[in-house]
Amino acid sequence: NLDKITPFILYSGAIDPRKNVKTLLEAFSKLPTDLDEYSLVLVGKLLPIEEEIVEQWVDLFNINPTKVIRTGYLSDFDLVELYRNCKLFVFPSLHEGFGLPVLEAMACGAPVIGSNCTSIPEVIGMQSAMFDPTNVNDIKDLISEALTSQSFNDALRKNALVQSKKFSWFHTAQAVINACELIIQPKQ
């Protein structure tokens, strides 16, 4: 129930080391006290050993366990509701093939910040919305700015809607058609 966890920061994905969730939790633990009202919601199916690892990190960083909510697997409908209602979507991954959760969140209008490496910058497309995923304070500072600056949060939301349209099926299909037309045009 969203009423019980609002306001919240959202992450969707696995928790293997390349996803950098440990660093996200550490950054969350360092947020200023005026942001104590926020919870961190972690979406994704976790194995029992992964549940234990997350609990160890929560303990390690002295986070109130009620502030880190693990949803497990969610239906597409429920995930869209979380994307639409989060105050911020954070994607701290160290390595991504594409970063589909980032695009999903943006397509739902979520304000998104993420890593400044691999494919994520291409998806986010806004330099001020990216952080060094190896720097806990960089992540913490950008989360804080996104939650305390209404103008920055509004810019992130606007960017999400504009940027996500660049990755639509229509644009993808049009690019394929254009490439095919270039190939089959008779040489002059």
Side-chain angles (χ1 to χ4, degrees):
N1 189 342
L2 287 177
D3 296 337
K4 294 180 182 175
I5 58 170
T6 321
F8 63 95
I9 300 162
L10 182 63
Y11 165 80
S12 176
I15 67 155
D16 54 271
R18 72 186 171 96
K19 297 296 187 174
N20 206 26
V21 174
K22 182 179 181 184
T23 306
L24 173 60
L25 282 163
E26 186 177 0
F28 180 73
S29 76
K30 293 175 178 279
L31 289 175
T33 55
D34 61 328
L35 296 175
D36 280 350
E37 66 186 302
Y38 287 90
S39 295
L40 176 61
V41 176
L42 305 176
V43 175
K45 185 172 178 356
L46 301 180
L47 300 170
I49 187 70
E50 293 172 322
E51 288 276 357
E52 287 178 31
I53 290 168
V54 170
E55 287 173 20
Q56 289 171 5
W57 292 337
V58 167
D59 188 50
L60 174 68
F61 301 125
N62 199 26
I63 302 170
N64 176 342
T66 65
K67 292 293 191 179
V68 179
I69 297 148
R70 297 177 299 276
T71 67
Y73 172 80
L74 290 179
S75 69
D76 289 344
F77 176 83
D78 289 337
L79 181 56
V80 166
E81 283 302 300
L82 287 177
Y83 284 143
R84 287 183 177 158
N85 289 284
C86 69
K87 296 295 181 187
L88 182 65
F89 180 82
V90 183
F91 203 69
S93 185
L94 297 166
H95 180 75
E96 280 305 309
F98 178 71
L100 193 56
V102 173
L103 185 56
E104 289 174 344
M106 293 174 81
C108 293
V112 174
I113 62 172
S115 298
N116 65 2
C117 59
T118 67
S119 62
I120 300 166
E122 180 184 355
V123 179
I124 293 178
M126 181 178 173
Q127 192 63 42
S128 61
M130 291 178 266
F131 51 74
D132 174 353
T134 65
N135 185 324
V136 173
N137 287 325
D138 204 18
I139 299 170
K140 171 198 59 109
D141 291 345
L142 200 56
I143 291 172
S144 294
E145 181 181 359
L147 296 177
T148 59
S149 168
Q150 190 61 53
S151 61
F152 183 52
N153 195 279
D154 290 345
L156 292 172
R157 285 182 189 279
K158 183 177 179 183
N159 180 66
L161 294 174
V162 169
Q163 193 67 13
S164 63
K165 286 179 175 58
K166 294 179 182 178
F167 296 92
S168 72
W169 284 114
F170 175 80
H171 287 320
T172 303
Q174 193 61 53
V176 170
I177 290 168
N178 292 345
C180 290
E181 286 175 345
L182 285 173
I183 292 170
I184 60 172
Q185 282 180 348
K187 299 211 178 198
Q188 297 177 342

